[in-house]
Amino acid sequence: MTNKKILEIKNLHVEVDGKEILKGINLTLDVGKVNALMGPNGSGKSTLVNTIMGHPKYKITKGKIIFGGKDVTNFTPDKRAKLGIFLSFQYPREISGVSVSKFLKATSKEINPNFSLFEFKKKLKENSELVEIPNEMTERYLNDGFSGGEKKKNEILQMLMLDPKLVMLDETDSGLDVDSLKTVAKGVNALMNNKKCIFIITHYKRILEYIKPDKIFIMLNGKIVLDGDGKLADELEEKGYGWIEED
Ligand code: ADP
Ligand code: MG
């Protein structure tokens, strides 16, 4: 039997600045599936995906993160990226002095041992067109003066260029107009296949109309308290989170 699990999180406890934020997360994501993570502000969603990516600010005090059968709990973020984990940030950073294309070239070289400049240029052109980022924008400094929507589309361009196995989107849909939202969804759907896995953090079912989830997880107060199929998003939109029991 082939292993369908791409990510396994076992009893994960995480602290930020001495305060426990994640209080025993258990989560399994299967390959070939689209998953959504929903939950109120401050419940720990960003903490979870940043911890999966290996952000040093988040201290694991207990538990394990297994990716593709490997224990990555103590791996550095770049090692995790090389294995195929990708995070689109809730608040993408502006980096002046480094152009989008230079940044993408450097990261692609890091990730792909068979990097070819010819292939890179071709892929950059195709993927920029797909997410409707004009050529001149890839010559601008990374996110510098970009609008909210442009920053998010740029995250999706980065995702397409790196071709990760596990894609985590942290509120990529927040603040997007409907056209930008469709563009983001087009990029994600173009990447998705039966060897990949998507994990979307969102507050709204709107993005889930374009990227159909197989499973939805609900986080409350640092724990996953409920999961269900796509219909759960409708229920949440209607009733909020108040009806969900914490334990
Ligand atoms: P979400 O993404 O679900 O809105 P976060 O993961 O961003 O939630 O935050 C979870 C909790 O962690 C919040 O209560 C937040 O205030 C807290 N938190 C984040 N950073 C720090 C920090 N540096 N010190 C103390 N608490 C923090
Ligand atoms: Mg968040």
Side-chain angles (χ1 to χ4, degrees):
M1 206 177 79
T2 52
N3 194 352
K4 283 163 79 175
K5 295 173 193 164
I6 189 163
L7 184 79
E8 277 177 277
I9 295 183
K10 294 180 180 167
N11 191 29
L12 187 71
H13 290 251
V14 171
E15 277 181 9
V16 182
D17 294 337
K19 186 182 162 203
E20 183 165 73
I21 309 290
L22 300 184
K23 301 167 182 170
I25 299 279
N26 289 294
L27 176 75
T28 300
L29 301 183
D30 287 340
V31 81
K33 301 286 183 200
V34 174
N35 306 276
L37 177 64
M38 301 179 87
N41 291 320
S43 53
K45 306 180 299 297
S46 293
T47 302
L48 176 61
V49 288
N50 278 292
T51 304
I52 296 170
M53 198 67 240
H55 194 302
K57 181 174 130 184
Y58 302 89
K59 188 167 171 260
I60 297 173
T61 54
K62 216 192 244 179
K64 267 187 196 165
I65 303 173
I66 317 278
F67 177 72
K70 253 197 187 103
D71 186 340
V72 302
T73 316
N74 298 311
F75 282 22
T76 55
D78 68 298
K79 214 165 166 190
R80 297 182 202 215
K82 279 179 197 162
L83 289 175
I85 306 180
F86 176 84
L87 171 62
S88 164
F89 291 110
Q90 184 167 4
Y91 305 108
R93 287 286 170 87
E94 300 188 1
I95 305 180
S96 53
V98 182
S99 71
V100 172
S101 67
K102 240 190 186 148
F103 174 76
L104 291 174
K105 200 193 290 172
T107 46
S108 302
K109 266 186 180 164
E110 272 298 310
I111 298 280
N112 181 3
N114 305 314
F115 176 86
S116 113
L117 190 59
F118 177 78
E119 277 301 313
F120 170 80
K121 284 186 171 161
K122 191 170 143 237
K123 249 177 104 178
L124 182 59
K125 186 169 178 291
E126 283 169 6
N127 290 329
S128 307
E129 274 168 21
L130 184 69
V131 294
E132 292 160 30
I133 290 180
N135 272 337
E136 64 268 18
M137 189 172 276
T138 59
E139 293 317 315
R140 279 168 60 185
Y141 290 153
L142 189 65
N143 290 323
D144 193 16
F146 285 23
S147 72
E150 287 166 349
K151 283 181 183 168
K152 297 301 178 83
K153 283 200 271 188
N154 193 51
E155 293 284 289
I156 298 303
L157 174 62
Q158 197 184 325
M159 174 201 79
L160 288 165
M161 293 303 291
L162 299 180
D163 195 29
K165 294 191 182 88
L166 172 65
V167 172
M168 303 185 288
L169 305 174
D170 193 356
E171 292 199 33
T172 302
D173 57 329
S174 287
L176 290 187
D177 65 48
V178 67
D179 291 326
S180 304
L181 182 76
K182 283 184 185 170
T183 307
V184 161
K186 190 167 62 164
V188 174
N189 288 326
L191 179 100
M192 186 54 187
N193 63 37
N194 62 7
K195 293 190 172 62
K196 312 227 183 232
C197 177
I198 313 280
F199 194 37
I200 307 177
I201 295 179
T202 183
H203 284 295
Y204 310 103
K205 67 170 199 178
R206 197 177 62 149
I207 191 169
L208 305 178
E209 312 270 348
Y210 300 104
I211 309 171
K212 293 271 176 224
D214 297 290
K215 207 163 181 184
I216 296 181
F217 297 91
I218 311 293
M219 186 181 266
L220 280 187
N221 193 20
K223 283 183 184 168
I224 306 269
V225 293
L226 188 68
D227 63 68
D229 63 13
K231 289 196 284 290
L232 195 51
D234 298 313
E235 216 171 336
L236 287 169
E237 191 121 308
E238 206 179 301
K239 302 198 277 184
Y241 294 105
W243 57 282
I244 301 168
E245 298 277 332
E246 258 192 51
D247 253 328

